[in-house]
């Protein structure tokens, strides 16, 4: 039997699209991974709450098919759909970091119930930490990672002070907008 | 059973090399698409992780959640896809599919025709859990029979990997029955 005869017998085909489709998938990797994360979170929450996908569709007031697309990671989610998901599941799925700004004295005082009168800052200059700004006592600490919108706020009442500082000091891009000057200076000295 | 050419030379001395896949049902999809279809389906992966959590935790080496295990497996699937694209693009520079495939039997050092083989992203992931299963025609030509998330030492230990082993053997027998032993036998000449 010739090769052609063998091939006719087994019926060969070609799927030349696979590679092109795969390349497209990789180009959209970040979006795909976000969709997967949302899908997996939704599946976990459904299990935890004992809800079916039909229950979710009903609560969201969307079709069952749309929920299927979400849990298959095939839905290009809009903010409206995310909001409906969050309402139905009672959990936050999308959390956008707040814009990095100095905490106002009024807000701090309001939050803590402690009177605060100024802002102290310690900035990393590349080799050490340098104080600038006010030195009056504050009641919270904020680490700002320069070049990104990410920051973390800590309340002195709950913060693991040393661990948090060690983390900030380890990052060359970090800048600390600080709290009580004396306490922070002491901690920085211990770390250096 | 049918056979589908995924990528490789269309002409010249290496015509017919590259990756092929088995299509088990005439109206179905081929094994390679089917594998990635599963690996990119969060719901399927989640169910798998729920049903195999003990094996997964043992394989990961720590108490990982279903959700996190599922995401890690999906990322590994994507890494596997990247590797295959890279090999397809570099085929002309001499990169062979042996960069991803090796004999199924770890004790087997010879590379043979119609050898049962396994592929993974061992070079980029330290402890890979995904496997692509194939029958080897030559260093540049493999016929994919399926794939699985392999969490135990032996394929026979779990039904889903045991099934993949049986599929590989069935395909090898089928290829022999069709008189297909070498790459040349796969070439589709006009």
């Amino acid at each position: 039997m010739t090769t052609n005869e063998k091939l006719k017998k087994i019926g060969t085909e070609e799927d030349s699209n696979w590679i092109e489709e795969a390349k497209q998938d990789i180009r959209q990797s970040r979006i795909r991974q976000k969709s997967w994360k949302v899908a997996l979170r939704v599946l976990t929450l459904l299990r935890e709450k004992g809800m079916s996908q039909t229950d979710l569709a009903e609560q969201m007031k969307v079709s069952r098919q749309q929920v299927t697309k979400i849990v298959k990671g095939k839905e290009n989610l809009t903010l409206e759909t995310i909001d409906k998901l969050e309402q139905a599941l009672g959990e936050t799925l999308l959390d956008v970091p707040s814009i990095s700004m100095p905490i106002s004295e009024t807000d701090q005082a309001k939050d803590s119930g402690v009177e605060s009168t100024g802002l102290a800052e310690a900035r990393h200059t590349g080799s050490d930490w340098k104080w600038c700004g006010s030195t009056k006592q504050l009641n919270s600490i904020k680490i700002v990672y320069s070049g990104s919108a990410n920051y973390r706020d800590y309340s002195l009442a709950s913060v693991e002070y040393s661990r948090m500082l060690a983390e900030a000091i380890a990052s060359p891009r970090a800048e600390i907008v600080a709290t009580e000057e004396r306490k922070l200076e002491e901690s920085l000295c211990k770390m250096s | 059973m049918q056979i589908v050419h995924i990528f490789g030379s269309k002409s010249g001395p290496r015509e017919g090399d590259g990756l092929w896949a088995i299509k088990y049902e005439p109206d179905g999809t081929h094994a390679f698409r089917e594998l990635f279809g599963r690996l990119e389906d969060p719901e399927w992966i989640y169910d798998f992780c729920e049903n195999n959590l003990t094996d997964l935790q043992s394989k990961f080496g720590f108490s990982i959640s279903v959700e996190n295990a599922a995401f890690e497996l999906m990322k590994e699937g994507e890494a596997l896809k990247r590797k295959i694209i890279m090999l397809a693009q570099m085929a002309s520079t001499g990169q062979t599919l042996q960069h991803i495939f090796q004999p199924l039997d770890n004790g087997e050092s010879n590379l043979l025709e119609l050898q049962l083989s396994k592929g993974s992203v061992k070079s980029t992931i330290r402890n890979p859990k995904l496997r692509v299963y194939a029958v080897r025609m030559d260093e540049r030509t493999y016929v994919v029979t399926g794939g699985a998330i392999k969490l135990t030492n032996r394929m026979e230990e779990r039904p889903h990997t045991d099934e993949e082993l049986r599929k590989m053997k069935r395909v090898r027998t089928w290829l022999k029955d069709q008189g297909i032993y070498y790459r040349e036998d796969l070439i589709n000449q006009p």
Side-chain angles (χ1 to χ4, degrees):
Chain A
M1 192 185 284
T2 66
T3 299
N4 267 343
E5 284 167 337
K6 286 175 186 171
L7 288 163
K8 275 179 190 165
K9 192 178 164 193
I10 62 172
T12 56
E13 288 180 13
E14 194 180 325
D15 183 1
S16 53
N17 291 333
W18 192 87
I19 284 288
E20 283 313 310
E21 287 172 24
K23 284 180 191 168
Q24 178 69 14
D25 287 345
I26 297 303
R27 277 194 289 272
Q28 295 185 333
S29 169
R30 284 163 57 90
I31 295 171
R32 275 157 47 92
Q33 289 197 9
K34 282 191 176 81
S35 296
W36 295 345
K37 274 187 180 172
V38 169
L40 295 168
R41 191 87 276 270
V42 168
L43 289 164
T44 299
L45 291 170
L46 287 177
R47 301 291 203 277
E48 283 176 6
K49 292 171 189 302
M51 284 171 71
S52 69
Q53 291 180 26
T54 307
D55 295 337
L56 180 61
E58 280 170 10
Q59 289 202 24
M60 288 175 70
K61 296 186 172 53
V62 298
S63 66
R64 177 68 170 75
Q65 287 77 8
Q66 191 176 351
V67 169
T68 301
K69 280 178 77 179
I70 293 168
V71 297
K72 295 278 181 197
K74 302 284 185 195
E75 176 81 344
N76 194 351
L77 293 158
T78 62
L79 288 174
E80 187 184 358
T81 308
I82 291 170
D83 186 56
K84 283 182 181 176
L85 272 171
E86 289 178 340
Q87 296 284 338
L89 295 166
E91 296 273 347
T92 302
L93 296 172
L94 179 67
D95 198 6
V96 182
S98 306
I99 298 163
S100 174
M101 293 172 66
I103 308 159
S104 78
E105 293 172 27
T106 318
D107 286 347
Q108 288 199 33
K110 195 165 53 187
D111 290 347
S112 65
V114 176
E115 189 181 347
S116 58
T117 53
L119 192 68
E121 291 183 11
R123 292 177 188 276
H124 194 259
T125 60
S127 56
D128 60 359
W129 293 85
K130 189 183 172 189
W131 277 104
C132 48
S134 166
T135 57
K136 291 178 185 172
Q137 180 171 323
L138 293 178
N139 65 312
S140 73
I141 189 162
K142 174 172 175 173
I143 301 172
V144 182
Y145 292 88
S146 57
S148 88
N150 296 327
Y151 72 86
R152 295 179 189 177
D153 270 324
Y154 298 88
S155 155
L156 274 185
S158 61
V159 71
E160 294 170 59
Y161 205 68
S162 302
R163 182 192 59 74
M164 176 276 299
L165 279 172
E167 186 181 299
I169 290 163
S171 167
R173 295 190 304 119
E175 154 187 331
I176 297 179
V177 181
T179 169
E180 189 182 344
E181 179 192 6
R182 185 183 53 77
K183 211 168 185 180
L184 181 61
E185 272 186 326
E186 277 175 8
S187 302
L188 290 173
C189 284
K190 279 182 198 166
M191 305 265 170
S192 59
Chain B
M1 221 182 277
Q2 286 177 303
I3 190 163
V4 183
H5 200 186
I6 311 296
F7 64 79
S9 303
K10 303 280 187 291
S11 60
R14 297 298 312 174
E15 183 184 7
D17 71 0
L19 202 66
W20 296 73
I22 292 290
K23 191 158 102 172
Y24 292 96
E25 301 295 334
D27 299 328
T29 184
H30 57 76
F32 204 54
R33 266 191 189 278
E34 203 175 292
L35 171 65
F36 281 99
R38 287 200 305 271
L39 297 178
E40 292 169 358
D41 177 353
E43 197 177 16
W44 185 90
I45 292 269
Y46 196 95
D47 287 345
F48 176 90
C49 290
E50 246 182 353
N51 295 329
N52 295 274
L53 190 57
T54 309
D55 284 348
L56 276 163
Q57 294 191 335
S58 168
K59 189 76 175 174
F60 273 98
F62 56 93
S63 180
I64 193 166
S65 68
V66 168
E67 187 177 334
N68 287 340
F71 188 61
E72 289 304 313
L73 291 174
M74 294 186 83
K75 282 197 296 182
E76 190 181 329
E78 192 171 275
L80 186 60
K81 196 175 240 187
R82 280 178 197 272
K83 179 95 179 176
I84 289 164
I85 293 169
M86 189 196 78
L87 287 174
Q89 287 173 328
M90 295 176 78
S92 58
T93 64
Q95 291 274 346
T96 72
L97 287 169
Q98 278 170 205
H99 279 84
I100 201 164
F101 288 108
Q102 62 183 84
L104 184 66
D105 183 348
N106 289 331
E108 206 167 314
S109 54
N110 294 330
L111 295 171
L112 311 164
E113 284 76 31
L114 297 185
Q115 186 174 41
L116 304 187
S117 307
K118 60 186 174 186
S120 68
V121 279
K122 202 162 62 176
S123 57
T124 47
I125 291 181
R126 197 169 55 88
N127 186 13
K129 291 147 198 83
L130 305 184
R131 298 285 186 277
V132 183
Y133 295 114
V135 175
R136 180 186 185 278
M137 308 301 291
D138 66 21
E139 61 177 11
R140 290 165 178 263
T141 315
Y142 284 80
V143 179
V144 173
T145 61
I149 300 165
K150 182 173 176 285
L151 304 171
T152 52
N153 285 337
R154 296 187 58 77
M155 293 180 78
E156 295 90 339
E157 289 179 62
R158 292 291 176 270
H160 71 282
T161 40
D162 189 41
E163 168 64 16
E164 292 299 322
L165 182 60
R166 281 191 274 117
K167 274 159 63 180
M168 261 191 284
K169 290 176 179 171
R170 202 165 82 223
V171 169
R172 181 170 60 181
T173 304
W174 179 78
L175 288 169
K176 282 180 184 171
D177 288 348
Q178 308 305 314
I180 295 170
Y181 292 90
Y182 306 104
R183 174 180 56 82
E184 291 74 15
D185 295 326
L186 293 165
I187 300 168
N188 192 0
Q189 294 172 356

